[in-house]
């Protein structure tokens, strides 16, 4: 049985109050869009929050990253090292982040209850379980809707997922918010689809043709009002801006010094692209790195993959800091789940959702904070447990989005997070 | 328009009389809609012109824009019966079965996932035979009861059989306009009709359904238990929505032997690809029986009427479509009740209902409203813009890219075949587009696809033999060429301003006329006048 369904918090409200509230939200009910608010043309809205999600697809091990248990029977071969935060130790595979934990908060007490790749990935992208008959939007779509602008010259939601493992299990999905807030997905190529002018059409004609389209549509729109009609005009109005944003995807435009810092790997290049995108105002970028699913040879896998993550994440945090973006960009590391403390016969660790870790850096997240504690072997959360709904409430709060805000699906109020879930204020600065 | 009291009295009298006699569907619709308009003091929009109406009817009934020949014959005809004749021709065509089946498929699988299997094939057959909706309901819920089995009928249950909660929800939404999933965890806060007992009561009919080796099967026993928000765990009694709980002697747990037998039967089914034997007591059959009983059948009838009203008017009499309950009244209660009764009384004949919907004056109004503030959409005073579905748009692009003379060649029966081929060729492209819902917004992905995607040019804007662009490329007079382009895409001649702008556009590109015409056609088919059914 599913744990939560619809807006129980709203249920407490009387019908009269409910109707009043929904009338006040009429713009939301009819449009589900940002059309009602006057477009903020030109400059990026001051203080607009943005997110870079490092998606560790397949499930990275918390024991080889943020919650090491050296010496325990479950601890594995790697040591724990001290960090710049007194008392906080992380895996020796992360020496660069160990020097930067003052920027980052670690949540060590995640208990998200689902150890199936597909279902867990959906939970950790949406902060809740699926419900029969209602497709929830994921984090990227919600941030795109809350932070994106109708006339934005850049995409609202970009996702990089180059490896094939697990890609179909964790697709970006705008759910009931609709295609308007769906992700621009980059899989095989490092530039988005259809962003380049077709061969054989001059730039002048590409522009003139679009003007002709506008001219033909103008008369049609007279005396007709419809959100869908307006959205079509807006979508075409954004085409040229999006085409111009192609260079944002080109990390070779960065100085060699910056590129060197991120390193030569694909993860490094994509994180640099992500930084370029958020700097230009893209509200949400996900960079997925697969495949952490180390049922066998867990330690070799992590010995190879964790240092890469460590280097790239440190570079990203430094870079954002130097550009004065740390207060506006939230960097998350998250996966569908962590890995079992128990080491199996193939020296692997299996799926584990009952006591694992994630991190938040920048924006409203409190650097140096550690929230949650697991037992000596890492099997259970002993203090300060956090579930998916609490985590998402915390992420929304860090971004300045009210986690209890309702969307309306027809007349039904659907709160951003499951009713009753509160943010973890201890990790919010 | 201020309403005079005398007129209001007349309007109410009409409402009262409308519900009784067996009258043409379209007349009842207009009386009820007009009465509500009069009561609200709202003047409806004028009727749409002929070119708009044939475009609307052709898109709504057969899922594509009309060819230029079809438009010209319709607009040029002085026959007062031409509209009914057009409607009957479209209703009789195979395109009607294909398009309505696609609409039903999207209704059953609104997320557009490809779980349909052969469901579409079943639906095309069902619409083509004009099978009553009660029969469709029975076929889809009891696919193993038909002799011989109807191909594709099992593909409504099959993809849902592994998840009884989802199956319960989807049956409620698709057939009864009721979304009981909210009552899974607690009684609905606002709707006294929907309690946990209702959800689990429905589930008790469906939870014994399972899939064995790709075949839908059912157990003859089983108990659905649930934990109410207060008190101890309960066993659910089968209960159809507002109907009372039913006694069910087969509600018990499986014995060890039965579990073993079930496993063996499933293995056997996997090997032979045939369904395990049906149980002597089928809870699902009981659901079908109860749902079609007097007093309960109203759910099925009201929901399908509301669904079809939504399909043709762009907005339901009850909205949202899955919230048909006492707290969410219809905009026109008497009309919905009459249509539901009338449809049930005529054997759930959907073609009869659709014919009435599209012959009404309410359906055929202009989508343009003169004043600044448009009236409440629930009055149906003005036609609503409907975004084209992926298949409507892709098939219409095929029609717009074809030399209109091509459609006039050959025998009339070949026309339908060629249209079907064009639809087939458009299907792949349609897969790139989003299925519209009630809050539909065009995304930038679509605008980028049309602006820069090679497929748009290669599949729809070619200038080879038989194409529209091939034909205009040789034209001496650009004014005539652009006139033809506009007529084919929009079914109307260009306005003077449009003609001037388009001719100027082409003449500025004298060095590359083929490109110029291609760009003009691109601008026409990406415009809102093409993207929407108005």
């Amino acid at each position: 049985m599913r744990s939560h369904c619809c807006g129980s918090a709203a249920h407490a409200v009387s019908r009269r109050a409910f109707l009043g509230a929904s009338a006040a939200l009429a713009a939301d009910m009819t449009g589900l869009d940002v059309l009602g608010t006057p477009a903020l043309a030109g400059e990026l809205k001051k203080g607009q929050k943005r997110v870079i999600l490092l998606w560790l697809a397949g499930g990275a091990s918390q024991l080889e990253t943020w919650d090491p248990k050296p010496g325990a029977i479950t601890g594995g071969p790697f040591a724990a090292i001290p960090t710049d935060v007194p008392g906080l130790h992380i895996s020796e595979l992360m020496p660069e982040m160990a020097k930067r934990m003052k920027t980052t908060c670690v949540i060590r007490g995640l208990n998200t209850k689902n150890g199936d790749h597909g279902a867990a990935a959906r939970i950790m992208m949406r902060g809740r379980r699926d419900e029969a008959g209602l497709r929830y939007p994921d984090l990227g779509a919600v941030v795109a809707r809350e932070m994106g602008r109708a006339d934005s010259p850049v995409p609202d939601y970009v996702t990089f997922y180059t490896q094939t493992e697990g890609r179909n299990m964790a697709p970006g999905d705008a759910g009931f918010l609709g295609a308007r807030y769906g992700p621009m997905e980059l899989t095989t190529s490092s530039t988005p689809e259809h962003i380049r002018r077709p061969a054989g059409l001059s730039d002048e004609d590409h522009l003139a043709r679009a003007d002709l389209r506008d001219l033909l549509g103008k008369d049609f729109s007279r005396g007709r009002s419809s959100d869908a009609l307006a959205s079509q005009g807006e979508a075409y109005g954004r085409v040229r801006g999006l085409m111009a944003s192609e260079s944002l995807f080109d990390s070779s435009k960065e100085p060699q010094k910056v590129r060197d810092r991120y390193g030569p790997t694909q993860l490094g290049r994509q994180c640099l692209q992500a930084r370029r995108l958020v700097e230009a105002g893209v509200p949400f970028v996900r960079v997925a790195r697969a495949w952490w699913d180390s049922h066998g040879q867990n330690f070799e896998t992590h010995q190879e993959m964790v240092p890469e993550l460590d280097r790239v994440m440190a570079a990203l945090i430094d870079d954002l800091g130097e550009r004065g973006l740390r207060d506006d960009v939230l960097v998350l590391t998250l996966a569908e789940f962590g890995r079992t403390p128990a080491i199996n016969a193939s020296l692997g660790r299996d799926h584990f959702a009952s006591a694992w870790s994630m991190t938040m850096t920048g924006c409203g997240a409190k650097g140096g904070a550690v929230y949650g504690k697991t037992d000596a072997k890492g099997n259970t959360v002993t203090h300060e447990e956090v579930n998916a709904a609490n985590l998402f409430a915390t992420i929304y709060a860090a971004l300045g989005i009210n986690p209890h805000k309702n969307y309306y699906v027809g007349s039904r109020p659907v709160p951003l997070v499951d009713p009753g879930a509160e943010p973890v204020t201890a990790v919010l600065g | 328009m201020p309403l005079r009291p005398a007129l209001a009295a007349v309007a109410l009298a009409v409402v009262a009389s409308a519900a009784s006699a067996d009258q043409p569907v379209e007349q009842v619709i207009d009386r009820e809609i007009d009465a509500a308009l009069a009561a609200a003091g709202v003047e409806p929009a004028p009727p749409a012109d002929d070119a708009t109406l044939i475009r609307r009817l052709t898109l709504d009934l057969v899922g594509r824009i009309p060819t230029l020949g079809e438009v010209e014959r319709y607009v040029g005809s002085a026959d007062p019966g031409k509209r009914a004749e057009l409607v009957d021709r479209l209703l009789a065509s195979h395109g009607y079965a294909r398009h309505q089946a696609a609409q039903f498929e999207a209704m059953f699988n609104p997320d557009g996932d490809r779980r349909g299997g052969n469901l579409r094939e079943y639906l095309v057959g069902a619409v083509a035979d004009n099978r009553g909706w009660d029969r469709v309901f029975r076929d889809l819920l009891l696919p193993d009861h038909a002799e011989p089995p109807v191909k594709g009928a099992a593909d409504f249950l099959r993809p849902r059989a592994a998840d009884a909660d989802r199956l319960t929800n989807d049956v409620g939404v698709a057939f009864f306009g009721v979304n009981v999933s909210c009552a899974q965890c607690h009684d609905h806060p606002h709707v006294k009709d929907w309690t946990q007992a209702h959800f689990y009561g429905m589930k008790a009919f469906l939870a014994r359904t399972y899939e064995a080796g790709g075949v839908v099967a059912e157990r003859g026993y089983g108990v659905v238990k649930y934990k109410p928000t207060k008190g101890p765990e309960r066993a659910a009694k089968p209960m159809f929505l507002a109907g009372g709980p039913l006694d069910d002697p087969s509600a018990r747990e499986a014995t060890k032997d039965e579990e073993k037998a079930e496993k063996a039967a499933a293995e056997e089914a996997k090997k032979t690809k045939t369904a395990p034997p049906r149980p002597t007591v089928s809870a699902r059959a009981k659901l079908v029986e109860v749902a079609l009983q007097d007093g309960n059948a109203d759910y099925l009838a009201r929901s399908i009427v509301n669904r079809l009203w939504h399909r043709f008017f762009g907005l339901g009499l009850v909205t949202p479509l899955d919230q048909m309950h006492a707290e969410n009244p219809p905009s026109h209660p008497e009309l919905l009740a009459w249509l539901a009764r009338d449809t049930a009384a005529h054997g759930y004949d959907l073609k009869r209902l659709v014919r009435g919907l599209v012959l009404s004056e309410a359906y055929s109004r202009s989508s343009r409203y003169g004043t600044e503030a448009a009236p409440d959409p629930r009055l149906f005073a003005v036609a609503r813009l409907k975004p084209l579905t992926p298949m409507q748009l892709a098939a219409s692009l095929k029609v717009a890219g074809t030399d209109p003379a091509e459609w006039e060649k050959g025998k009339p029966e070949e026309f339908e075949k060629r249209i079907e081929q064009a639809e087939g060729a458009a299907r792949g492209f349609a897969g790139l587009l989003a299925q519209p819902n009630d809050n539909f917004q065009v995304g930038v992905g679509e605008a980028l696809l049309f602006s820069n995607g090679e497929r748009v040019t290669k599949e729809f804007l070619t200038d080879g033999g038989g194409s529209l662009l091939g034909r205009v490329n040789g034209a001496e007079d650009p004014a005539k060429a652009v006139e033809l382009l506009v007529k084919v895409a929009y079914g109307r001649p260009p306005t003077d301003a449009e003609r001037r702008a388009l001719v100027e556009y082409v003449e500025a590109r004298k060095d590359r006329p083929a490109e110029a015409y291609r760009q003009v056609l691109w601008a026409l088919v990406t415009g809102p006048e093409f993207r929407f059914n108005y």
Side-chain angles (χ1 to χ4, degrees), chain B residues 139-209:
Chain B
D139 284 351
L140 294 182
L141 281 202
L142 302 173
D144 49 346
H145 288 230
E147 287 297 341
V150 191
K151 188 166 183 205
D155 286 338
F156 173 75
L157 289 178
R158 198 184 34 75
R160 296 168 170 86
D163 183 345
D165 287 339
R166 170 151 201 169
L167 177 59
T168 304
N169 177 71
D170 288 2
V171 167
V173 169
F175 292 104
F176 310 121
V178 165
N179 188 332
V180 283
S181 65
C182 208
Q184 239 170 296
C185 319
H186 50 73
D187 294 350
H188 195 286
H190 306 310
V191 185
K192 62 178 186 319
D193 313 0
W194 295 356
T195 64
Q196 278 185 298
H198 286 103
F199 179 84
Y200 291 97
M202 281 295 275
K203 188 174 168 181
F205 288 118
L206 295 163
R208 299 175 185 177
T209 297

Side-chain angles (χ1 to χ4, degrees), chain B residues 124 178 249 253 316 325 526 533:
Chain B
V124 169
V178 165
E253 305 282 6
H325 55 74
T526 54
N533 186 358

Side-chain angles (χ1 to χ4, degrees), chain B residues 3 11 17 22 41 79 82 84 140 192 235 237 242 245 265 277 307 362 384 402 411 445 452-453 468 498 503 533:
Chain B
L3 186 66
S17 70
D22 191 15
D79 179 355
K82 68 179 182 178
L140 294 182
K192 62 178 186 319
K237 283 194 169 181
R307 290 272 184 182
R384 219 171 148 76
T402 304
K411 297 182 197 128
N452 298 333
L468 175 60
E498 284 169 343
V503 168
N533 186 358

Side-chain angles (χ1 to χ4, degrees), chain A residues 283-323:
Chain A
F284 192 94
V285 184
R286 176 176 75 157
V287 180
R289 172 76 168 105
W291 183 236
W292 296 80
D293 196 23
S294 50
H295 291 286
Q297 313 298 327
N298 173 71
F299 304 104
E300 282 83 349
T301 304
H302 283 75
Q303 194 165 25
E304 179 197 329
M305 291 175 75
V306 178
E308 180 198 29
L309 172 67
D310 179 53
R311 173 180 181 174
V312 172
M313 189 175 167
L316 179 61
I317 289 169
D318 290 353
D319 199 7
L320 290 168
E322 285 163 25
R323 285 161 196 273

Side-chain angles (χ1 to χ4, degrees), chain A residues 1-2 4-6 8 11 15 18 29-33 35 131-133 135 179-180 184 194-201 205-206 208-210 212-213 215-217 219-220 222-224 226-229 231-232 235-236 238-239 242-243 410-411, chain B residues 111 163 165-166 169 179 181-182 184-186 189-190 200 320 327 367-369 374 385 387 434 437 439-444 446-454 490 498 501-502 505 509 512 515 519-520 522-524 526-529 531-532 534:
Chain A
M1 185 176 131
R2 295 173 171 84
H4 295 289
C5 305
C6 64
S8 295
H11 302 173
R15 179 163 170 80
F18 164 71
M29 292 179 68
T30 53
L32 265 179
D33 67 353
L35 306 176
E131 181 192 320
R135 273 170 62 218
R180 166 73 180 77
M184 190 176 258
H194 307 137
I195 204 165
R196 236 170 253 172
R197 183 158 46 82
L201 185 67
D205 279 0
H206 192 274
R209 191 181 71 161
L212 195 61
R213 179 197 170 277
L215 183 94
L216 290 166
D219 191 49
F220 179 79
R222 188 175 46 78
R224 293 186 166 107
S226 135
D227 287 339
L229 175 62
S231 74
Q232 197 213 13
Y236 278 89
R238 288 181 64 190
V239 164
L242 289 167
M243 289 170 68
S411 56
Chain B
D111 294 348
D163 183 345
D165 287 339
R166 170 151 201 169
N169 177 71
N179 188 332
S181 65
C182 208
Q184 239 170 296
C185 319
H186 50 73
H190 306 310
Y200 291 97
E327 314 285 320
S367 58
R368 189 168 256 160
Y369 204 72
L385 293 193
N437 57 17
N439 295 311
F440 181 67
Q441 304 226 322
V442 176
V444 290
E446 179 180 315
L448 283 169
L449 168 68
F450 275 92
S451 297
N452 298 333
E454 301 274 345
Y490 293 166
E498 284 169 343
L502 295 176
Y505 192 92
R509 289 163 181 76
R512 48 189 193 287
E515 271 312 302
Q519 290 164 26
V520 167
W522 179 89
L524 287 164
T526 54
E529 192 164 344
R531 183 67 183 81
F532 292 88
Y534 52 89

Side-chain angles (χ1 to χ4, degrees), chain A residues 121-203:
Chain A
R122 287 195 296 278
I123 291 172
M124 297 318 296
M125 286 292 291
R126 290 160 183 69
R128 65 211 322 173
R129 278 162 186 264
D130 288 337
E131 181 192 320
L134 191 61
R135 273 170 62 218
Y136 289 109
D138 66 20
L139 180 63
V142 171
V143 174
R145 174 163 150 75
E146 295 301 316
M147 303 297 184
R149 299 191 333 247
D151 65 342
S152 173
V154 294
D156 295 321
Y157 176 5
V158 176
T159 169
F160 295 89
Y161 203 136
T162 307
Q163 290 94 359
T164 51
E165 297 100 328
R167 191 198 287 157
N168 294 335
M169 296 184 205
D173 186 359
F176 62 69
L177 292 179
R180 166 73 180 77
Y181 300 102
M184 190 176 258
E185 292 194 308
L186 291 92
T187 50
T188 49
S189 148
S190 62
T191 49
E193 236 186 338
H194 307 137
I195 204 165
R196 236 170 253 172
R197 183 158 46 82
L201 185 67
S202 71
D203 195 48

